[in-house]
Each structure stands twice: as structure tokens, then as C-alpha cells.
């Protein structure tokens, strides 16, 4: 628009009816259009128009357009704003509508409504002259005192804002460059005002009236900013900003003292984060990456999703213990006492920990060992890991790996993924806050495998002493040193652990406990713990060792002590009921003494009757302290015994032998039963047997058939061919349990020899060993657990392979004294030891046949 030219709006204007906001001359507003008449106006006038005049429309405030074309127009507001449509954006979601960006030009007054459909058109009269906005040479004297006062307040308000923001600086320049008559409308649209106040400004046609109405609004805004400055801490002058400005990441204030700048810097989170990064002791590579990320963070709008991700990443990097560690307690004598107090037995584990302490005394920079405790459940693998951390004076963190089937649980997710997070190793280090904790990797044998990767393969880098000093988590993307971490893995069996992972760990077997060890553990640890948990004292309950032995042998059958602990808990609960009832009955006479004599008399009479009945049932009497738990009390509390000694009853007929088996839960005795019947020479095997055990059965029957004459073994018809018209059925009881392994070979041979000879196997003999087709007995594993199972079952003799004699040194002396061990190198020795009086062998007589 050229200066000095008289610019007029059209005398006829299409009307846009708005109800949400008020458009003032000189300001810009974005409004949504979805009513029928307004939509028709946009389609017919704005979208199809080709001239500048077609983009000028009249915006009528405080008037809502009817939702239907059939409805009549409401009464229109008298004053409107002629506007220039700058932008039109259409959308079909959630319903068809347009969004208009319009800029106000001047006020107009409606003279006459010319038509209502398809959109309203009115004849208008222009109230403001556009040429006034282009004339910038009016003298200040003509504006008068109101104009000067308004200008003073406007400058004061703008200078209270952050001048470093470009929009604020531009507004300050506009105050000097724009004509004064345009300022009331522009500032009213910027400051915080209601629609009603803006409507009043729009209706003020006279300039003096407009100044008078706008000055109080400026004063109110100035007072509000002053109050905010007093009540809120200055951060980035966000409270002073009224216009919509992108938050500035740097601390740029109006000129102030150095002390004020330092105070502002302390309150800026990003600068504080940068300080923490620079003062942290992270590696050079990590520091370089963090400084690069902090630069990106400063330039990034806070509304961006990546802002929160980057900030979380930097906060994690600061919190990680890059160079923070605890000092080890290296006193071997104190460590031995502490380990002995916490755990009974477990000599191998204690010896290994003391060795580590001794070497640490001699060499400070020793890498953390990687141990794997393998043993049945309930023997204390997890608790001994916690005791090791306590002994060393280190932090302890347990990571449960059972069922983990995603390698990201170990290595973490890459930061490009939504919801990414570090792996469990880095999270654990963040939790403990030091770089040399004791990490317990629980149930490492139960790791899964899925499409998300193999977590066992991801553990290879963690548990390799030559690699874990440079462990790279996907989330961190920088190396972290794990060499000072003491990793302890636990497992029930090594069969399911991948060989490569097993090779990186030092395997320490944790066998099951003997009966004597269980009794000691119960009286040293379990019973005091249960008494404390149930609020009992040793003066209220006594559990003698004979009772504990009954619980161990007749109510539990396990390698560990978990079931024993639960049974002791059940006993303590039953005693707690007795003690609580006794205390309740003892308080009754005290309450009776407070009443009258007659009441007391009646009370005694009533109580006398239950006491007489209680001779048969002592539940009504207060128990005598301490309550002694004997066999009868056990039967009342725990019910009838769950396990009985059934060895002699099971071996009352030929064709039954006792074998020894190893399971992840410890050793077990296993009965092998055989029967024969008329048939076609088939061998039937039942009991969910694996391929190796089936092959052992075929080996046994083949060896017996080849040696039938030697041992005088015949079938039912007297033939030395044991399968001639005879079917054999071998069964391994507990059919629901899967069984496999070669160690049942000697037991199957003994069972079949008993079946075909008609002799009974000794009832106190158990055996284990692998056989060959030539009758040799080969060594097997799990000897200690198997021997302990035989000892628990009350057996007296155990037949084991000759080459397993070295494994007997691991067995406690008292167990070896109670058992007789028979070392067998061939099946002849096994059969001689398994039957009373030996197993007779018929000498082979060579007959000389004449060739004449």
C-alpha cells in the first residue's frame, strides 16, 4: 500500500461468523470453519476467487453460524473487522472443515444485510481509514496526553520481557515505527485479555475512547508480571513472556551483575547436567559423546520427543559409577567367621572365597572371578552369594534370568527404538552405584531363546574376563568396564547351559545336605528364623533333634531345606495358636474379679465344665510352657507321615532291584521292576524312558542272553534262550517323570538276573553304573548325590563303579561310616554283591569231540 493513497475496502463484504475469538485490526487470528454458511463462503469466495478483492472478507465476532442452512441467521454484531485471508487449510478428520489464517485490516459497520444464502453478504461502511496506517509523519503533539501515557506503559511492559528473544525485540521496534493509533488494537491482541474485553475495544470507534480502555489492561498486565517476578524463581524469564515464543535454551538475561548470572546458571537444568557431565569421571570416549549430545540438547525444542530421550540418556550416563567403587574387606579370619556363621557346610564355596581374598591381598588389580554354583534347589546358592557380598563389604544385586528370552535384557535396546532402555547389567550398576558389586545371575540354566535373540550368547561378553572390561551396552553405545564386578551364576544343572557359556565360568558343585547337616542347619538357622517370624520364644516351644530328624526323614524328601523350612513354619503356626488361646484364657479370671461375687461364681462354674472335658481334649487348657514337639504332636500338626521306608516291602519278590539316579533336585533311589510272560520274545519298556536308558535295557538283556548258560538262567520253559516264547516287561515306577541316562545299566542287569534265577536281591543294596556289551562297569557322575539318596533311604550297601572310588572323598565321614561301598569293575562282581551268598557261576567244561 503506497503512502498517502486512500485505500478503501469494498462496500459489499461476505461475512464470516465467528464465536471463538475477536479479530482486531492489525492482528492475526487462526479460526476453524465447519458450519454450512461459513464452509460455502470459503469454497465459493476464497478458493475460487482470482483477485485480491475476493480475499477480503468481513469477520463478525460474538456470532455463531447456525448448524443448518434452513435455520435463520441470528442477530449480527454491529461492528466487524475487515480481514485479509492469508491461508486456507482443509481437512476431513474428524469431519470436513477448513482452518483460516486471517489478518485484520480495519473496522466496519453493517448497514444492511443483502442476502443470507448461500452465505451472508452485507453492505458495510468503513470506520477506520487504512491510509492512517501508512502515514507515519504525524506529530506527537496531535496525539495528546493519552497517546503519550499509553506509549509509556507499552514500553514499560515490553522492557520487562526478555529482549534477547527475537519476537520481543521486534515488538519493541514496532512501538517506535508503527503509528500510535494502531498500537491499542495490536497490544490488546497480544496481552492476556478476555474476548469480552477485546469486543469492547473493537466497539470503541473513537481513538480517545480506545486509548482509555486499553491503558488499564496494560497496567494490569504489568502488575501481574511484577507479582510473578516476586513469587517465582527466575528460570529463563519464561514467566515474563506473553507472546508465543520457542523457549530459549541459553541463559541470556538483561544486563545484571555476575552473581545474578551464576545464580541463574545454577537453576538451569541443562547447564547443571552439563556441569555433572564435565565433573564426572567417565571415560574419554563417553565424555566426548555426552558433550556432543548436550550441544544437541541445547538447540532442541523441549516439545520434541527426542528431547526427553536425549535427556534421559545423559542423566543415565551421569548416574553410572564410572570410577566409584567400595573398598574390600580383606581380613581372612573375619571372613571365615562370617561365612561360618551364615552358612553351615559348603566347604568348597567358603574355600574359594577365602582364596579370592588371599589373592586380593597380594594383588590389588585382580579381575573379578566368574563363579557358577551348580546344585539342587534349596541348598543356599542364592543366599551364599549374598553372604559373599557381605563378607567382601560389597554391594549386592540379584538378576533373575529364569525365562529371559530376549538378548536386549542383557545388552539393552538401541536408542532408535521407542521405549528403549539399558540392559539389566547397566541398570544394576546404576542401582548399586558402584562399579565393583557382587552380581548374582540367578537361574542361568533356565535362559530361553526366541526371535529376539539368544540371551545366553549375549552373556558370553559379560562373563568373559578377557572381554568384559570393554562391555558395550546397545543403549549406552560406549564401553563400560565390568572387570571389577564379581559375577556369581546359579544353576540346577549344567546340561541346559550352552557349552561356550559354561566354558567361561568356574563351576563349583553344591551338593545336597546329609541328614546330620540338615539337623544342624535347622537348629542353627531355620528354627530361630521361624520363631522370630511367628513371635515365639524358645521358652514357648522346643523342637528336639529327634523330632527334627523325623521331619527330615518322614515328612520331606529333598536335597535342600526348603520343605523342611515350610514344615517348621507350620509347626510354629500351630504353637502360636496354642499360645494365643492360652493367653486369652488366662485373662478371663482377671476380668471376672472386677465383677460382683455372683458373677464371679457363675464364671467359675462355667469354666469348671470345660476343664473337666479337657482331660480328653487339652485344647481348652492353657498349654504348659514350653510346648514340646514330639512324634504325636507332629502327627497332629503335619498329618500322617508322607514318606515311609518301603525298601524291604518292594523287594519281597524276584525281579526288583534298587538303582540310584541323579536329578536336578538331588539324588533319588529308583526301583526297577521286571516281569515275564508267554509271548513272542518282545522287550517292553515303560516309565517315560529316554533313548540312552532304552539302549541300556537292550544291552542288559543281550548280555544276559549271551551268559545265560554260565549263570544257569532259564525262561519259563527251561530254555537258555531267555526270549524264546517269552516276553519281558521292564518298568521304572514314577511313570510321570522322564528318565534318561546310562547309570541304570547295572540295576537292569541285576533285576533281570533276579527275575530269571528266581532269587531275591538283597533289600539293603543300591547300585549305579554303566555297562558294556562285554560286561564291564563304567564310571558315572553324581556319585555324591546318589550316595546321599541311599543314605536317606536307610540302605546299608552301595555298589558303584571301581573308577568312581575317587568321588567318595567328597562325601562326609559319618555317611561313609554308615555305608558299605562295593567297588565293581565287571558285572560278575555286581551280581555277587547284590545276592545273598553270591551268584553262582557254572564252570565251563570243554568237551573234546572226536573227528574220526
Amino acid at each position: 500500500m503506497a503512502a498517502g493513497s486512500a485505500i478503501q475496502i469494498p462496500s459489499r463484504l461476505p461475512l464470516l461468523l465467528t464465536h471463538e475469538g475477536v479479530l482486531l485490526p492489525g492482528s492475526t487470528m487462526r479460526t476453524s470453519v465447519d458450519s454450512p454458511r461459513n464452509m460455502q463462503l470459503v469454497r465459493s469466495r476464497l478458493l475460487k476467487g482470482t483477485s485480491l478483492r475476493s480475499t477480503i472478507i468481513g469477520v463478525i465476532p460474538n456470532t455463531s453460524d447456525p448448524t443448518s442452512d434452513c435455520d435463520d441467521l441470528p442477530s449480527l454484531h454491529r461492528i466487524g473487522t475487515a480481514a485479509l485471508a492469508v491461508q486456507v487449510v482443509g481437512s476431513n478428520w474428524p469431519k470436513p472443515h477448513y482452518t483460516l489464517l486471517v489478518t485484520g485490516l480495519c473496522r466496519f459497520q453493517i448497514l444492511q444485510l443483502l442476502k443470507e444464502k448461500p452465505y451472508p453478504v452485507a453492505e458495510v461502511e468503513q470506520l477506520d481509514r487504512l491510509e492512517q496506517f501508512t502515514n507515519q509523519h504525524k506529530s506527537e503533539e496531535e496525539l495528546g496526553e493519552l497517546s503519550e501515557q499509553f506509549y509509556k506503559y507499552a514500553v514499560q511492559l515490553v522492557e520487562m520481557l526478555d529482549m534477547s528473544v527475537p519476537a520481543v525485540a521486534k515488538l519493541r521496534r514496532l512501538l517506535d515505527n508503527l503509528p500510535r493509533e494502531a498500537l491499542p488494537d495490536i497490544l490488546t491482541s497480544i496481552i492476556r485479555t478476555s474476548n469480552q474485553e477485546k469486543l469492547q475495544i473493537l466497539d470503541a470507534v473513537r481513538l480517545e475512547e480506545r486509548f482509555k480502555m486499553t491503558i488499564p489492561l496494560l497496567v494490569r498486565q504489568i502488575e501481574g508480571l511484577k507479582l510473578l517476578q516476586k513469587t517465582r524463581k527466575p528460570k529463563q524469564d519464561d514467566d515474563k513472556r506473553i507472546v508465543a515464543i520457542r523457549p530459549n535454551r541459553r541463559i541470556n538475561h538483561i544486563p545484571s551483575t555476575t552473581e545474578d548470572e551464576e545464580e541463574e546458571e545454577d537453576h538451569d537444568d541443562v547447564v547443571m547436567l552439563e556441569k555433572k557431565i564435565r565433573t564426572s569421571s567417565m571415560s574419554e570416549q563417553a565424555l566426548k559423546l555426552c558433550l556432543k549430545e548436550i550441544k544437541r540438547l541445547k538447540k532442541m525444542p523441549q516439545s520434541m520427543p527426542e528431547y526427553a530421550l536425549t535427556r534421559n540418556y545423559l542423566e543415565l550416563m551421569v548416574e553410572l559409577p564410572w570410577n566409584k567403587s567400595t573398598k574390600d574387606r580383606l581380613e581372612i579370619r573375619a571372613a571365615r567367621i562370617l561365612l561360618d556363621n551364615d552358612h553351615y557346610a559348603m566347604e568348597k564355596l567358603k574355600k574359594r572365597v577365602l582364596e579370592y581374598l588371599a589373592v586380593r591381598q597380594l594383588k590389588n588389580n585382580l579381575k573379578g572371578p566368574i563363579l557358577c554354583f551348580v546344585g539342587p534347589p534349596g541348598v543356599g546358592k542364592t543366599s551364599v552369594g549374598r553372604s559373599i557380598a557381605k563378607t567382601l563389604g560389597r554391594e549386592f544385586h540379584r538378576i533373575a534370568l529364569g525365562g529371559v528370552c530376549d538378548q536386549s535384557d542383557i545388552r539393552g535396546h538401541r536408542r532408535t527404538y521407542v521405549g528403549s532402555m539399558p540392559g539389566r547389567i547397566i541398570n544394576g550398576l546404576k542401582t548399586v552405584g558402584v562399579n565393583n558389586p557382587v552380581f548374582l545371575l540367578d537361574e542361568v540354566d533356565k535362559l530361553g531363546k526366541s526371535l529376539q535373540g539368544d540371551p545366553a550368547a549375549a552373556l558370553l561378553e559379560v562373563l568373559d574376563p578377557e572381554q568384559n572390561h570393554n562391555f558395550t551396552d546397545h543403549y549406552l553405545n560406549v564401553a563400560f568396564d565390568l572387570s571389577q564386578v564379581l559375577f556369581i551364576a546359579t544353576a540346577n544343572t549344567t546340561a541346559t547351559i550352552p557349552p561356550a557359556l559354561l566354558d567361561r565360568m568356574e563351576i563349583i558343585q553344591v551338593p545336597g545336605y546329609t541328614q546330620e547337616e540338615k539337623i544342624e542347619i535347622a537348629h542353627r538357622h531355620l528354627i530361630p528364623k521361624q520363631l522370630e517370624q511367628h513371635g515365639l520364644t524358645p521358652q514357648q516351644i522346643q523342637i528336639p533333634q529327634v523330632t527334627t530328624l523325623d521331619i527330615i526323614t518322614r515328612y520331606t524328601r529333598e536335597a535342600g531345606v526348603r520343605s523342611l523350612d515350610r514344615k517348621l513354619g507350620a509347626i510354629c503356626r500351630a504353637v502360636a495358636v496354642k499360645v494365643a488361646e492360652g493367653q486369652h484364657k488366662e485373662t478371663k479370671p482377671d476380668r471376672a474379679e472386677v465383677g460382683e461375687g455372683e458373677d464371679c461364681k457363675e464364671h467359675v462354674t462355667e469354666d469348671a465344665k470345660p476343664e473337666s472335658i479337657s482331660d480328653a481334649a487339652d485344647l481348652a487348657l492353657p498349654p504348659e510352657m514350653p510346648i514340646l514337639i514330639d512324634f504325636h504332636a507332629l502327627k497332629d500338626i503335619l498329618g500322617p507321615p508322607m514318606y515311609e521306608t518301603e525298601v524291604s516291602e518292594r523287594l519281597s519278590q524276584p525281579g526288583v532291584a534298587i538303582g540310584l539316579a541323579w536329578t536336578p533336585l538331588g539324588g533319588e533311589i529308583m526301583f526297577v521292576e521286571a516281569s515275564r510272560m508267554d509271548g513272542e520274545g518282545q522287550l517292553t519298556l515303560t516309565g517315560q524312558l529316554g533313548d540312552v536308558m532304552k539302549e541300556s535295557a537292550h544291552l542288559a538283556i543281550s548280555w544276559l542272553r549271551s551268559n545265560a548258560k554260565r549263570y544257569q538262567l532259564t525262561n519259563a520253559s527251561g530254555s537258555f534262550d531267555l526270549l524264546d516264547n517269552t516276553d519281558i516287561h521292564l518298568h521304572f515306577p514314577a511313570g510321570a517323570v522322564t528318565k534318561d541316562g546310562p547309570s541304570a545299566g547295572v540295576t537292569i542287569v541285576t533285576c533281570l538276573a533276579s527275575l530269571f534265577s528266581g532269587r531275591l536281591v538283597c533289600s539293603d543294596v543300591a547300585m549305579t553304573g554303566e555297562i558294556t556289551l562285554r560286561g564291564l562297569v563304567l564310571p558315572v557322575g553324581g556319585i555324591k548325590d546318589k550316595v546321599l539318596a541311599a543314605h536317606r533311604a536307610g540302605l546299608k550297601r552301595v555298589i558303584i563303579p571301581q573308577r568312581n572310588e575317587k568321588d567318595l572323598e567328597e562325601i562326609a565321614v559319618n555317611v561313609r561310616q554308615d555305608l558299605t561301598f562295593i567297588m565293581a569293575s565287571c558285572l560278575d562282581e555286581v551280581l555277587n554283591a547284590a545276592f545273598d551268598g553270591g551268584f553262582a557261576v557254572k564252570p565251563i567244561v570243554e568237551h573234546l569231540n572226536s573227528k574220526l
Side-chain angles (χ1 to χ4, degrees):
M1 295 179 185
S5 63
I7 301 175
Q8 299 290 331
I9 64 171
S11 59
R12 293 185 178 188
L13 283 181
L15 302 182
L16 180 73
L17 308 183
T18 63
H19 185 67
E20 297 176 353
V22 178
L23 178 67
L24 293 173
S27 64
T28 300
M29 183 178 74
R30 195 178 297 273
T31 182
S32 179
V33 172
D34 56 3
S35 58
R37 287 184 173 87
N38 287 345
M39 294 273 286
Q40 191 63 34
L41 167 64
V42 174
R43 293 192 186 105
S44 303
R45 178 83 175 189
L46 299 181
L47 297 182
K48 294 184 179 180
T50 57
S51 64
L52 178 62
R53 294 173 61 90
S54 64
T55 62
I56 299 177
I57 59 177
V59 179
I60 304 298
N62 202 25
T63 305
S64 58
D65 188 25
T67 57
S68 174
D69 288 338
C70 300
D71 298 338
D72 295 333
L73 278 178
S75 59
L76 302 179
H77 193 75
R78 185 177 60 89
I79 304 297
T81 305
L84 186 68
V86 179
Q87 185 185 55
V88 180
V89 178
S91 175
N92 288 323
W93 191 89
K95 62 179 182 178
H97 69 280
Y98 292 101
T99 301
L100 302 184
L101 181 65
V102 292
T103 300
L105 299 177
C106 66
R107 289 173 176 81
F108 67 82
Q109 178 181 359
I110 299 177
L111 299 178
Q112 181 183 0
L113 186 63
L114 300 178
K115 66 174 183 176
E116 294 185 8
K117 295 181 180 179
Y119 53 86
V121 178
E123 184 177 354
V124 299
E125 177 187 3
Q126 183 173 343
L127 298 179
D128 297 331
R129 296 298 175 184
L130 291 180
E131 60 267 19
Q132 295 176 353
F133 291 91
T134 61
N135 188 359
Q136 301 188 10
H137 302 286
K138 284 194 173 186
S139 62
E140 295 182 0
E141 291 78 14
E142 295 178 3
L143 295 175
E145 187 176 337
L146 281 176
S147 176
E148 287 298 327
Q149 187 180 7
F150 177 85
Y151 179 77
K152 181 184 69 173
Y153 284 123
V155 171
Q156 181 182 356
L157 175 63
V158 174
E159 288 184 347
M160 292 180 70
L161 305 178
D162 188 357
M163 299 300 294
S164 63
V165 179
V168 178
K170 183 178 180 181
L171 180 59
R172 179 66 183 87
R173 291 192 300 270
L174 286 176
L175 291 180
D176 297 330
N177 297 331
L178 281 179
R180 298 292 173 85
E181 59 267 21
L183 294 181
D185 290 333
I186 294 176
L187 285 179
T188 302
S189 64
I190 292 177
I191 63 177
R192 188 184 298 275
T193 51
S194 65
N195 284 342
Q196 190 63 31
E197 291 171 337
K198 290 180 180 177
L199 201 60
Q200 293 174 2
I201 300 297
L202 179 65
D203 292 342
V205 179
R206 295 176 60 247
L207 189 57
E208 292 81 8
E209 184 182 356
R210 213 177 302 160
F211 276 126
K212 289 178 181 179
M213 297 178 65
T214 313
I215 287 174
L217 300 179
L218 291 179
V219 173
R220 185 182 68 184
Q221 191 69 46
I222 291 170
E223 294 299 327
L225 283 179
K226 288 181 179 178
L227 183 61
L228 282 177
Q229 290 176 350
K230 291 179 181 178
T231 56
R232 294 179 62 182
K233 293 181 179 180
K235 259 192 174 181
Q236 291 172 318
D237 283 349
D238 287 341
D239 300 333
K240 301 176 185 178
R241 299 179 191 176
I242 302 170
V243 293
I245 306 167
R246 181 180 67 85
N248 187 15
R249 295 287 151 220
R250 296 184 181 273
I251 307 287
N252 292 324
H253 302 286
I254 57 176
S256 59
T257 61
T258 307
E259 295 178 356
D260 293 338
E261 291 180 357
E262 292 177 355
E263 184 178 357
E264 287 289 328
E265 186 175 336
D266 291 338
H267 290 294
D268 190 319
D269 293 342
V270 177
V271 174
M272 290 297 293
L273 188 58
E274 185 176 6
K275 276 187 177 181
K276 291 179 181 178
I277 291 173
R278 293 186 182 277
T279 56
S280 64
S281 54
M282 62 179 67
S283 63
E284 184 178 352
Q285 180 188 6
L287 180 61
K288 184 178 179 181
L289 179 61
C290 287
L291 292 178
K292 179 181 177 182
E293 291 292 331
I294 202 77
K295 289 181 181 178
R296 291 181 63 243
L297 189 68
K298 289 179 179 179
K299 301 175 183 177
M300 199 182 301
Q302 195 169 359
S303 58
M304 284 185 62
E306 195 176 353
Y307 179 85
L309 300 178
T310 305
R311 179 159 181 166
N312 290 339
Y313 171 74
L314 293 174
E315 288 176 350
L316 173 67
M317 295 288 282
V318 169
E319 293 176 6
L320 284 179
W322 296 92
N323 203 20
K324 183 181 178 183
S325 59
T326 55
K327 187 176 181 181
D328 289 346
R329 289 200 295 261
L330 303 177
E331 298 179 6
I332 296 181
R333 186 182 301 275
R336 181 182 282 114
I337 294 174
L338 187 59
L339 288 173
D340 289 339
N341 290 338
D342 286 350
H343 289 82
Y344 184 77
M346 291 190 173
E347 300 302 327
K348 275 188 177 180
L349 298 185
K350 296 176 183 177
K351 180 182 177 183
R352 183 63 184 87
V353 175
L354 296 177
E355 289 173 353
Y356 173 73
L357 289 178
V359 178
R360 279 283 284 113
Q361 282 187 358
L362 302 178
K363 185 176 182 180
N364 290 330
N365 58 348
L366 179 66
K367 293 181 179 179
I370 297 169
L371 310 177
C372 182
F373 300 159
V374 180
V379 296
K381 301 184 297 295
T382 302
S383 60
V384 80
R386 188 175 284 105
S387 294
I388 290 173
K390 182 180 175 183
T391 301
L392 296 174
R394 293 190 179 190
E395 296 291 335
F396 177 79
H397 185 72
R398 175 179 171 269
I399 300 175
L401 296 179
V404 172
C405 57
D406 187 353
Q407 65 136 359
S408 298
D409 279 349
I410 308 299
R411 289 184 179 274
H413 304 82
R414 299 194 183 277
R415 284 196 292 142
T416 53
Y417 295 114
V418 176
S420 59
M421 58 189 300
R424 296 194 182 190
I425 303 296
I426 297 298
N427 259 334
L429 289 169
K430 174 189 171 184
T431 302
V432 297
V434 292
N435 64 357
N436 63 339
V438 174
F439 268 14
L440 184 76
L441 306 177
D442 217 0
E443 308 294 352
V444 74
D445 59 327
K446 297 174 180 61
L447 285 169
K449 191 176 182 180
S450 68
L451 295 175
Q452 282 74 34
D454 186 2
L459 277 176
L460 295 179
E461 182 184 3
V462 177
L463 299 182
D464 192 339
E466 300 301 325
Q467 299 180 33
N468 63 8
H469 67 280
N470 205 23
F471 171 70
T472 302
D473 187 275
H474 287 162
Y475 185 81
L476 295 187
N477 206 24
V478 290
F480 194 94
D481 187 5
L482 300 179
S483 61
Q484 298 303 314
V485 179
L486 174 55
F487 286 102
I488 299 176
T490 67
N492 297 131
T493 176
T494 58
T496 56
I497 302 177
L501 182 59
L502 194 65
D503 182 61
R504 283 162 166 79
M505 300 185 291
E506 180 182 343
I507 306 298
I508 299 179
Q509 295 289 340
V510 185
Y513 297 117
T514 63
Q515 290 181 358
E516 290 76 11
E517 289 173 343
K518 288 184 179 180
I519 293 173
E520 285 294 328
I521 291 171
H523 286 269
R524 288 189 184 189
H525 302 288
L526 302 183
I527 294 178
K529 182 188 75 173
Q530 290 293 344
L531 293 182
E532 181 182 357
Q533 289 181 355
H534 293 85
L536 300 174
T537 63
Q539 288 73 31
Q540 294 172 322
I541 178 175
Q542 282 188 1
I543 304 178
Q545 291 194 356
V546 178
T547 304
T548 308
L549 182 60
D550 277 343
I551 299 173
I552 293 169
T553 56
R554 309 185 69 178
Y555 289 93
T556 65
R557 182 159 293 178
E558 58 174 349
V561 290
R562 281 201 183 123
S563 293
L564 175 60
D565 192 28
R566 285 192 286 267
K567 301 298 181 185
L568 293 174
I571 292 172
C572 289
R573 289 193 296 273
V575 171
V577 173
K578 289 277 189 179
V579 172
E581 288 180 346
Q583 291 176 351
H584 177 67
K585 291 183 179 296
E586 288 174 359
T587 58
K588 283 187 176 180
D590 297 338
R591 293 197 301 269
E593 291 174 2
V594 180
E596 298 178 359
E598 293 180 0
D599 296 337
C600 183
K601 187 174 181 180
E602 291 177 2
H603 179 75
V604 173
T605 306
E606 290 175 358
D607 283 356
K609 190 173 182 180
E611 286 178 4
S612 62
I613 297 174
S614 66
D615 294 336
D618 59 350
L619 292 176
L621 276 178
E624 297 181 0
M625 298 297 172
I627 297 176
L628 183 67
I629 305 299
D630 55 7
F631 174 72
H632 299 288
L634 276 185
K635 193 171 182 182
D636 291 337
I637 297 172
L638 302 180
M642 299 174 62
Y643 304 100
E644 295 289 348
T645 304
E646 56 178 356
V647 173
S648 58
E649 291 81 359
R650 296 283 289 268
L651 296 178
S652 58
Q653 56 183 347
V656 182
I658 303 174
L660 296 174
W662 180 91
T663 69
L665 306 179
E668 293 288 344
I669 64 170
M670 178 176 60
F671 291 92
V672 180
E673 301 174 351
S675 64
R676 61 183 178 180
M677 66 288 293
D678 293 340
E680 300 177 354
Q682 294 182 354
L683 176 63
T684 304
L685 302 172
T686 57
Q688 280 208 44
L689 308 183
D691 292 338
V692 177
M693 191 170 280
K694 290 178 182 178
E695 292 173 356
S696 296
H698 286 287
L699 275 174
I701 193 67
S702 297
W703 184 84
L704 285 174
R705 290 178 69 186
S706 63
N707 291 275
K709 288 185 179 180
R710 183 183 175 195
Y711 290 104
Q712 296 297 306
L713 301 177
T714 60
N715 59 10
S717 59
S719 171
F720 288 115
D721 186 0
L722 301 181
L723 293 181
D724 184 24
N725 297 324
T726 303
D727 286 347
I728 300 175
H729 187 165
L730 268 175
H731 178 63
F732 295 76
V737 181
T738 304
K739 310 169 190 70
D740 200 5
S743 60
V746 296
T747 312
I748 298 173
V749 169
T750 305
C751 174
L752 293 174
S754 169
L755 176 68
F756 289 113
S757 66
R759 298 177 61 185
L760 296 177
V761 179
C762 295
S763 61
D764 62 345
V765 174
M767 60 200 74
T768 183
E770 182 182 355
I771 62 172
T772 68
L773 199 57
R774 298 299 179 185
L776 300 179
V777 179
L778 302 182
V780 292
I783 291 296
K784 182 176 182 179
D785 289 326
K786 294 176 180 179
V787 170
L788 292 179
H791 186 259
R792 284 198 301 269
L795 302 175
K796 299 300 180 183
R797 293 189 295 162
V798 179
I799 301 174
I800 64 174
Q802 178 76 40
R803 288 161 62 182
N804 281 120
E805 184 176 6
K806 61 182 183 301
D807 297 322
L808 297 179
E809 297 178 1
E810 300 179 1
I811 301 172
V813 176
N814 58 334
V815 176
R816 281 186 286 174
Q817 291 175 350
D818 293 342
L819 296 175
T820 300
F821 296 97
I822 300 163
M823 310 299 167
S825 58
C826 62
L827 286 174
D828 291 341
E829 298 173 358
V830 173
L831 295 177
N832 283 329
F835 294 92
D836 284 333
F839 205 74
V841 179
K842 182 180 180 181
I844 299 175
V845 180
E846 294 184 0
H847 298 282
L848 298 177
N849 296 325
S850 175
K851 295 182 179 180
L852 298 176

